[in-house]
Amino acid sequence: MSAKEKTAKELTGHEAFRDLKEAYPEAKQVNAELWELLIAAMGSDHADMWDKKERTNKMFVVELLGALMDTIYK
């Protein structure tokens, strides 16, 4: 078992993940919610205070969280 697989297995045992999985049974549902939150944030007045780099960082975090969800949902 790879380190990545071991970490994913450990995460799935936590109460927070069990709660997440109960609310969103599939990773694609979590990923859709993440993107909707990002779109809402980027369209808000608060997004005007972020420069190009900061907006890119927000998008990157959503991408990483989506990949994490794909990994631990397996």
Side-chain angles (χ1 to χ4, degrees):
M1 178 183 298
S2 72
K4 187 177 181 180
E5 290 169 332
K6 184 178 177 185
T7 301
K9 186 174 181 177
E10 290 171 359
L11 287 173
T12 59
H14 287 274
E15 182 179 352
F17 178 73
R18 290 192 307 267
D19 291 346
L20 180 68
K21 190 146 186 176
E22 184 177 318
Y24 301 96
E26 297 181 23
K28 66 181 179 180
Q29 293 170 302
V30 178
N31 291 337
E33 289 293 326
L34 288 169
W35 280 109
E36 285 186 31
L37 286 169
L38 178 65
I39 290 166
M42 293 298 177
S44 75
D45 291 337
H46 296 290
D48 293 341
M49 67 183 176
W50 298 330
D51 63 14
K52 181 179 178 179
K53 183 176 181 182
E54 197 59 34
R55 286 191 300 275
T56 301
N57 287 342
K58 305 280 186 237
M59 294 172 68
F60 186 58
V61 166
V62 168
E63 186 177 334
L64 290 175
L65 288 171
L68 177 63
M69 291 300 105
D70 290 339
T71 300
I72 63 177
Y73 265 76
K74 289 182 181 179

